[in-house]
Amino acid sequence: MGKIEDLQVINGEGYQLSSLEKVIASARANSVWPLPFATSCCGIEYMATMGSNYDLARFGMERMSFSPRQADLLIVAGTISKKLAPVLKQVYEQMAEPKWVLSVGACASSGGIFDTYSVLQGIDRVIPVDVYVPGCPPRPEQIIDGIMKIHEMVKHESLRRRYSDEYKSLLNSYNIESNEE
């Protein structure tokens, strides 16, 4: 059976047809469970997104997961020291597929103003990053914009992308073993 290209959503009275892939993508995007890995001032700005002024719960993210095995979005906010880098990598490896990473702030993205021997100059040196949020520290609106970009990625990602050779080679470049064989 071949793949049907350019499948349209058909609406009618009492029914709606779509592809299973689009339904799953929509369900994934509207029920992301974030794991905050927050240090420094960016962590405080991230906490503000959960307050009533910004209400991150409207994106289906009211449940914070502090267990990597139950999360699918790793939000790294703040300065990551080189001693903390192996812990961050371990948390990423413990997350189940599919998983996404949001790098919040200048320190997580590039080391920020801390160009020292002890600060990791960007978390993308140890784990792959999907979306970067700039700023020092970024405003909650910027963090929400980054989360919305993650949601768009989730909605448009193929269900088979995580099994592709390209994805496996990406993980291998970070010395992370793929769970799928």
Side-chain angles (χ1 to χ4, degrees):
M1 223 162 92
K3 183 177 177 185
I4 301 172
E5 298 294 330
D6 299 321
L7 185 66
Q8 297 177 347
V9 175
I10 302 168
N11 286 314
E13 191 174 330
Y15 67 90
Q16 181 177 16
L17 301 175
S18 183
S19 69
L20 182 61
E21 191 166 313
K22 288 181 183 179
V23 171
I24 290 172
S26 179
R28 276 185 181 169
N30 293 312
S31 63
V32 172
W33 286 3
L35 175 107
F37 197 95
T39 64
S40 312
C41 42
C42 289
I44 302 300
E45 292 295 322
Y46 172 69
M47 288 178 213
T49 63
M50 296 302 293
S52 59
N53 286 345
Y54 300 103
D55 191 23
L56 199 58
R58 65 187 159 160
F59 298 105
M61 296 177 60
E62 63 272 356
R63 185 205 178 272
M64 288 291 121
S65 178
F66 293 99
S67 167
R69 290 174 179 86
Q70 297 174 351
D72 39 26
L73 172 61
L74 178 60
I75 300 175
V76 182
T79 311
I80 303 298
S81 67
K82 288 184 180 175
K83 281 188 173 183
L84 192 56
V87 175
L88 177 64
K89 184 174 180 178
Q90 182 179 15
V91 167
Y92 178 81
E93 288 174 338
Q94 289 177 349
M95 292 172 66
E97 291 286 354
K99 55 189 167 189
W100 297 272
V101 177
L102 179 68
S103 177
V104 176
C107 291
S109 299
S110 65
I113 60 171
F114 305 107
D115 190 11
T116 64
Y117 69 94
S118 63
V119 174
L120 187 66
Q121 299 301 301
I123 63 167
D124 55 1
R125 296 187 180 209
V126 291
I127 60 173
V129 175
D130 294 301
V131 174
Y132 294 90
V133 176
C136 184
R139 296 275 308 139
E141 294 91 346
Q142 290 174 274
I143 298 171
I144 289 174
D145 184 56
I147 288 170
M148 290 171 65
K149 286 183 168 109
I150 291 281
H151 283 205
E152 285 303 310
M153 286 179 63
V154 174
K155 283 182 189 173
H156 295 93
E157 183 179 82
S158 167
L159 293 177
R160 303 199 192 303
R161 175 183 173 257
R162 303 290 169 154
Y163 302 106
S164 70
D165 291 333
E166 178 185 342
Y167 185 72
K168 288 177 184 177
S169 68
L170 172 70
L171 292 182
N172 286 336
S173 70
Y174 286 97
N175 294 325
I176 297 172
E177 289 185 26
S178 175
N179 296 336
E180 308 302 322
E181 292 300 324

